[in-house]
């Protein structure tokens, strides 16, 4: 039965805010279940960045990598077609 009384008092006084990922209001540290649990219980919408893979790479970085690989592949195909002409 977790109440997070101190965190609730800090949130009420404005000394603690729900994280938004900025440098002023960063997310909970990875692996800190107390931070995550208390802020979730206090009504914070998110306590950690969304859409992350287990190894720490964000989905956005993965999409950029896939786009780059596809661009390189298309470039190679275009060059090979141009050489055959």
């Amino acid at each position: 039965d977790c109440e997070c009384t101190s965190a609730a008092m800090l949130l009420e006084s404005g000394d603690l805010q729900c994280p938004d990922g900025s440098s002023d209001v960063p997310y909970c540290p990875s692996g800190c279940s107390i931070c995550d649990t208390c802020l979730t219980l206090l009504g914070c919408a998110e306590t950690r960045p969304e859409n992350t893979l287990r190894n720490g790479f964000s989905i956005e970085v993965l999409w950029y990598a896939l786009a780059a690989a596809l661009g390189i592949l298309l470039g190679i195909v275009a060059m090979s077609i141009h050489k055959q002409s």
Side-chain angles (χ1 to χ4, degrees):
D1 192 272
C2 185
E3 293 180 19
C4 304
T5 308
S6 298
M9 290 170 47
L10 289 170
L11 194 63
E12 252 181 57
S13 69
D15 293 324
L16 178 67
Q17 297 174 359
C18 289
D20 63 7
S22 68
S23 58
D24 294 332
V25 190
Y27 290 116
C28 289
S30 60
C32 184
S33 60
I34 293 173
C35 175
D36 186 46
T37 301
C38 283
L39 291 179
T40 300
L41 287 172
L42 293 173
C44 292
E46 62 181 309
T47 59
R48 300 171 189 218
E50 292 185 21
N51 296 329
T52 57
L53 299 174
R54 288 182 189 167
N55 60 6
F57 289 108
S58 70
I59 295 297
E60 186 176 311
V61 171
L62 179 63
W63 284 117
Y64 285 130
L66 287 174
L70 184 59
I72 292 169
L73 181 63
L74 288 174
I76 291 170
V77 169
M79 286 175 58
S80 67
I81 290 173
H82 183 65
K83 281 184 179 180
Q84 291 175 357
S85 306

